[in-house]
Amino acid sequence: MNHSELEKGKILIIVEIIEYIPNSVLIKTIIKKTTGNVSAVSFDSGETLTEKTSPFDTFIQVIDGKAEVVIDGISNILETGHSIIIPAHSPNSIKANVRFKMISTIIKSGYDEVSLS
């Protein structure tokens, strides 16, 4: 079994498999494949993932607390149960004005290489 993933075939309570660590962002891999990955992430209050751009769409779902997701300079406040898709190639950052937990899903398949010839 891949030790970076959780055990398959077992019931999971995602909000309970990841804890809050003071002054930290904690990432726990649920599934990691070449075609994408699913991670549970916890943010302590005041923590931020700095602005970045990904070549793939990213689906974010808040499972505890409240997050600020900034996409192309536009702030979105997500509370427990809210989700958003961060489009590929869009500058984005994630901020914890209060602590929160989320699930991040990146799907890499279905992106065809663009031919310039």
Side-chain angles (χ1 to χ4, degrees):
M1 181 171 124
N2 181 344
H3 293 291
S4 67
E5 293 183 16
L6 297 174
E7 190 173 351
K8 296 175 183 174
K10 300 286 183 177
I11 295 172
L12 304 171
I13 301 173
I14 299 297
V15 75
E16 294 179 0
I17 66 163
I18 192 162
E19 60 215 36
Y20 291 109
I21 304 292
N23 306 310
S24 298
V25 174
L26 181 64
I27 301 171
K28 183 164 186 116
T29 300
I30 298 169
I31 300 171
K32 183 173 184 135
K33 303 290 180 193
T34 57
T35 54
N37 58 55
V38 178
S39 302
V41 187
S42 69
F43 286 71
D44 194 22
S45 181
E47 295 300 312
T48 300
L49 286 183
T50 57
E51 186 173 270
K52 66 175 183 155
T53 302
S54 170
F56 311 110
D57 291 339
T58 302
F59 176 76
I60 300 293
Q61 179 182 15
V62 175
I63 58 173
D64 185 47
K66 187 187 317 185
E68 180 180 4
V69 179
V70 179
I71 303 170
D72 288 325
I74 299 170
S75 176
N76 302 275
I77 303 299
L78 283 71
E79 297 183 17
T80 302
H82 291 171
S83 302
I84 196 165
I85 298 171
I86 301 171
H89 309 291
S90 294
N92 66 86
S93 63
I94 301 174
K95 301 177 184 178
N97 299 320
V98 298
R99 68 185 196 168
F100 75 94
K101 296 178 182 178
M102 69 179 197
I103 297 173
S104 171
T105 304
I106 300 171
I107 305 298
K108 297 178 182 176
S109 63
Y111 289 87
D112 298 320
E113 299 225 3
V114 177
S115 173
L116 299 177
S117 42

